[in-house]
Amino acid sequence: MSETARPREKDLRLDEQLCFAVYSAAHAFTRFYRPLLARLGLTYPQYLVMLVLWEADGLSVGAIGERLRLDSGTLTPVLKRLEKLGLLTRRRAAADERQVVVSLTVTGAQLRTIAEGFPDRIVDASACDGAELDGLRDGLVRLRANLDKAVA
Amino acid sequence: MSETARPREKDLRLDEQLCFAVYSAAHAFTRFYRPLLARLGLTYPQYLVMLVLWEADGLSVGAIGERLRLDSGTLTPVLKRLEKLGLLTRRRAAADERQVVVSLTVTGAQLRTIAEGFPDRIVDASACDGAELDGLRDGLVRLRANLDKAVA
DNA sequence: AAGGTTTCGATTGTGCACAATTGAATTGTG
DNA sequence: CACAATTCAATTGTGCACAATCGAAACCTT
């Protein structure tokens, strides 16, 4: 039983915390994306909404929220700003008037071609090989799923 | 040249994005911590400030910000709320009146003993062994450092 | 068909995060 | 010593994130 193996003064050191590593990396990502997204006039959460719609257009607010794990309280103002930017439209669904269907405009769909260059920039900046980044991503996805399961 | 190896329809799929995995895991963490921190009456960013001060008391606002990578615009209101909760005090430094020194109260220091149980809950909830979590953390720390370097 | 329940998006209020600016205190330079 | 440049925290304004609530629409159930 080595004494040094685990300091065990109950380890609350900031740099030991996985939660802070995640929190801090998330902010580093938004800082990294900021200048890239500035060219599109988007914030990072707005970009996430665009990613969802580029993948599947014509979703309801709720469907977008399910994908991003965000509620209407967050999404409604974001979608309104994207609508004002002329990137998407919002209209009540005919079949179910409670739902609002979000659709890309031509401009919104075209923006995708600029964004296609982004992933490579991440790989370059990260100074890691693709396999390591994929491993990191998969670990995070599993972690998120387990945390969500534990809190539910 | 396999067609299936890399879909190469320019991969902007949400679930492929490392940035979203990090963003999403960060939110999952704050959701997970919320009920734990509710017992202390703290939000997650407030908890981070307490972690810093438990490790080194009597820091200036700038020093806390350097540790958490947050500026005074974010920290000042957070520190004011923690002061109102009676967990810390803020006073101008005698040696340099520009700086504000933040010090824990007895109550603030005592709160640490409750927080000491948190890390184990993360390990339990994550359903991963400690080594895997450490690897994830180290990968994120490197990623953050590289992203910061690239944006600077 | 009628009434309660559920679902959906919007709204309100609180608390980060960050850019930009302000004003006071300090430091550097002539 | 004077005074311009810098540093520090606070302030202002914008935009997420989320809890709580609301009102309308859709769905039961009988």
Side-chain angles (χ1 to χ4, degrees):
Chain A
M1 265 184 215
S2 153
E3 294 295 312
T4 55
R6 266 274 185 163
R8 260 312 172 218
E9 26 133 68
K10 280 301 184 181
D11 223 330
L12 284 177
R13 281 176 301 183
L14 185 68
D15 293 335
E16 293 286 324
Q17 306 303 311
L18 176 57
C19 62
F20 178 65
V22 173
Y23 167 92
S24 185
H27 289 308
F29 256 121
T30 73
R31 280 193 297 270
F32 181 85
Y33 267 103
R34 199 180 309 280
L36 300 180
L37 292 174
R39 293 202 304 128
L40 312 187
L42 296 179
T43 64
Y44 182 71
Q46 290 167 8
Y47 171 63
L48 289 181
V49 170
M50 296 303 288
L51 281 180
V52 169
L53 292 174
W54 286 330
E55 198 171 325
D57 198 2
L59 296 180
S60 67
V61 173
I64 297 171
E66 199 172 330
R67 204 92 176 73
L68 298 176
R69 299 194 62 74
L70 295 173
D71 62 15
S72 68
T74 300
L75 282 176
T76 297
V78 171
L79 293 171
K80 282 183 177 175
R81 284 178 203 114
L82 290 171
E83 186 176 38
K84 191 163 288 183
L85 287 171
L87 303 181
L88 52 80
T89 61
R90 296 153 65 237
R91 63 174 199 286
R92 290 279 163 187
D96 184 342
E97 292 280 344
R98 290 171 306 180
Q99 297 191 86
V100 167
V101 173
V102 180
S103 307
L104 289 172
T105 61
V106 173
T107 309
Q110 284 172 343
L111 227 55
R112 187 185 197 282
T113 63
I114 300 180
E116 282 171 354
F118 293 172
D120 285 342
R121 309 250 192 142
I122 302 296
V123 176
D124 293 348
S126 70
C128 303
D129 56 289
E132 182 176 354
L133 296 180
D134 287 353
L136 205 52
R137 184 199 57 211
D138 294 344
L140 287 166
V141 169
R142 274 201 311 281
L143 177 64
R144 170 189 49 178
N146 289 330
L147 288 175
D148 282 346
K149 204 184 307 172
V151 79
Chain B
M1 263 189 219
S2 154
E3 296 293 314
T4 54
R6 264 271 183 167
R8 261 309 171 218
E9 26 132 70
K10 283 300 184 180
D11 224 329
L12 283 178
R13 280 176 301 182
L14 185 68
D15 293 335
E16 293 285 325
Q17 307 303 310
L18 177 58
C19 61
F20 177 66
V22 173
Y23 166 93
S24 186
H27 288 309
F29 256 122
T30 73
R31 280 192 296 270
F32 181 84
Y33 267 103
R34 200 181 309 280
L36 300 181
L37 291 173
R39 294 203 302 126
L40 313 187
L42 297 178
T43 65
Y44 182 70
Q46 290 167 7
Y47 171 63
L48 290 181
V49 170
M50 296 303 288
L51 281 180
V52 169
L53 293 174
W54 286 330
E55 198 171 326
D57 197 3
L59 297 179
S60 68
V61 172
I64 296 171
E66 199 172 328
R67 204 91 176 73
L68 298 176
R69 299 194 61 78
L70 296 173
D71 61 14
S72 69
T74 300
L75 282 175
T76 297
V78 172
L79 293 170
K80 282 183 176 175
R81 284 176 204 116
L82 290 171
E83 186 177 38
K84 190 163 290 184
L85 287 172
L87 303 182
L88 53 80
T89 61
R90 296 153 66 239
R91 63 174 199 287
R92 290 279 162 186
D96 185 342
E97 292 280 345
R98 289 171 306 180
Q99 298 190 75
V100 167
V101 172
V102 180
S103 308
L104 290 171
T105 61
V106 173
T107 309
Q110 284 173 343
L111 229 54
R112 188 185 196 281
T113 62
I114 300 179
E116 283 172 353
F118 293 171
D120 285 342
R121 309 250 192 140
I122 302 295
V123 176
D124 293 348
S126 70
C128 304
D129 56 289
E132 183 175 354
L133 297 180
D134 287 354
L136 205 53
R137 184 199 56 211
D138 295 344
L140 287 167
V141 168
R142 275 202 310 281
L143 177 65
R144 171 189 46 178
N146 289 330
L147 288 176
D148 283 345
K149 204 184 307 173
V151 79

